[in-house]
Structure formats: structure tokens, C-alpha cells
Amino acid sequence: MKGVVLAGGLGTRLYPLTKITNKHLLPIYDQPMIYYPIRQLVDAGIREIMLVTGGSFAGHFLNLLENGGGFGLRRLHYAFQRGEGGIADALKLAEDFVDNDRCVVILGDNIFEHSIAPAVEKFRQQTEGARILLKEVPDPQRFGVAELHEGRVVSIEEKPAHPQSNYVVTGVYMYDAYVWEVVKTLKPSRRNELEITDVNNAYIARGTLCYDIVEGWWTDAGTFESLLRAN
């Protein structure tokens, strides 16, 4: 199983902190933000990871992370995303790296209190499909919102004005090789991005998307408020 860390974007919501470096290299307490998702994957037994980044400060990751040996990785791979085409657009860059294996994708600004390893192990036991992690939050309209019915996710809506539930999709996505067929069919959303929500809904349509509820706290760190909360 391969790991993919998505750390692109321009971080405009954190300007001027991001005027001199990538958002994912900002500190969360005593470590760079990017350490947290990498260690989540390593803790889940993944030893080959691709980091997808972009922008003017992409080289800063190489200076910090080198070849990944400090995390016990066999190798840390890098890919460069041009512009801001969305999460699914960034994921497309990892297709050759994953190479028909399964993959665990994690957003570089997501911080979890507990290990995701139990959920990754459940994914290993799945015969096919995808797995996501959900969390109940007080402000679901900021995220992709999952509608649940009889223990299944029946739909996911991106940043809805009137959410169907308080359960949102966190930044961990686990996919089998079908994901590469899906991303090739995606059309840009009204935000002019390829949405990861559309990928997840494609798995829902096939009846092969599973989920777990995150225990403990979880936060992104892409705004000043959430960066402070993460610290």
C-alpha cells in the first residue's frame, strides 16, 4: 500500500504567513505541519510515500524532508502540481507512483489526535472500494458533508448551505485502483477545481465506499482560527 500526502495550494487564507513559505511547513507546536500527516502514514505501516506540492516554495520540502529516511521511509517521492486544480487534480499526479496498488491519501494540513492505523487496517481487509473518515463538527458547511442512512454514506455534498448532517469528510481518503478511472472522467466544479467529493460519490454509486468515525479531536490548519486550534 502506498501513501500520498497532498501539500499544494498557495495558502492565501494564511497570508502573510505564507508569503515566505508553503502553508504545510508552518509550525504546529514543536514540529512543521507536514510531519503530522507523514507520521500518520508511517504509523499505519506505509513505507513509500509521494508528496504532491506546488508553488514557489516547493523546494523547501526537499530541504526539510530530504529522502524521508528520518521517518523510516524506504523512499520519499515528490510531484509538482501546477496551479490550484483541486485535491483530485493533485491526486492524478500519483497514478504512476501508486501503480495499481492501493493508496491512502492524506491532506497535509490535517491533524488527528489518534492514529488512523486501525482504519487503514480495515481498508486492507476490504476486497474492493474506498474508505473515508468522518467527524461530527459544529460547522459542517465548511466541508464535504456526508448524508448517512442505515449505516451507509448515501451522498456527500461539498460545502452545502443547508447540510444534511453534522458529519463531515476529513482529509483522509483510501482508494483501490478504480480511483484512476474516476479522476479521468471528472469535470471542473463551479470553483474550477476537480473535487474529491465527486470521486467519493463515484464510489458511493458503486456501493463500495465504507467509513469510520474519527475518535478524539481532529482539525485542519488552513485558516488562522484552525491553525491556532491545531497548536
Side-chain angles (χ1 to χ4, degrees):
M1 191 178 297
K2 305 287 180 61
V4 180
V5 180
L6 302 183
L10 301 178
T12 53
R13 291 180 298 174
L14 288 172
Y15 191 86
L17 300 183
T18 49
K19 186 176 181 179
I20 57 168
T21 194
N22 185 285
K23 171 183 74 174
H24 305 89
L25 299 176
L26 296 175
I28 301 294
Y29 186 48
D30 61 345
Q31 300 173 36
M33 188 187 300
I34 197 64
Y35 279 24
Y36 294 88
I38 292 176
R39 285 182 171 147
Q40 283 285 2
L41 296 177
V42 171
D43 185 58
I46 295 170
R47 293 296 179 268
E48 284 197 72
I49 293 175
M50 171 168 277
L51 177 77
V52 181
T53 187
S56 303
F57 309 115
H60 292 187
F61 287 97
L62 189 61
N63 292 334
L64 176 67
L65 303 173
E66 300 175 338
N67 64 3
F71 296 93
L73 298 176
R74 286 198 292 270
R75 183 174 298 172
L76 179 60
H77 304 251
Y78 296 89
F80 186 89
Q81 180 187 21
R82 295 183 181 275
E84 292 187 290
I87 295 172
D89 179 64
L91 178 58
K92 288 168 60 177
L93 299 173
E95 180 177 2
D96 289 342
F97 164 70
V98 176
D99 190 28
N100 290 321
D101 201 348
R102 295 185 176 203
C103 63
V104 180
V105 183
I106 185 168
L107 302 187
D109 67 349
N110 271 228
I111 313 295
F112 293 83
E113 179 180 5
H114 299 311
S115 172
I116 67 170
V120 173
E121 184 55 35
K122 290 180 183 178
F123 180 58
R124 284 192 176 98
Q125 303 305 317
Q126 283 181 226
T127 57
E128 63 175 344
R131 196 170 201 94
I132 59 175
L133 300 183
L134 304 180
K135 179 65 178 176
E136 190 171 16
V137 300
D139 52 349
Q141 63 276 4
R142 290 182 53 222
F143 306 97
V145 176
E147 181 182 357
L148 304 176
H149 180 69
E150 295 182 352
R152 299 185 66 85
V153 180
V154 296
S155 71
I156 300 172
E157 186 177 4
E158 186 66 24
K159 297 181 175 60
H162 305 287
Q164 294 294 319
S165 78
N166 288 329
Y167 285 96
V168 304
V169 181
T170 68
V172 173
Y173 319 97
M174 309 176 212
Y175 299 122
D176 64 7
Y178 176 64
V179 69
W180 311 118
E181 297 181 37
V182 176
V183 295
K184 289 181 176 69
T185 68
L186 296 181
K187 304 298 183 185
S189 68
R190 63 180 182 275
R191 302 192 301 166
N192 200 34
E193 294 185 357
L194 300 185
E195 302 286 357
I196 201 69
T197 291
D198 292 338
V199 175
N200 293 330
N201 278 324
Y203 276 97
I204 291 172
R206 282 169 62 101
T208 58
L209 183 131
C210 302
Y211 73 93
D212 293 291
I213 303 295
V214 171
E215 300 292 338
W217 56 259
W218 159 80
T219 187
D220 65 349
T223 66
F224 287 112
E225 292 78 12
S226 60
L227 181 67
L228 178 62
R229 182 164 60 247
N231 274 277

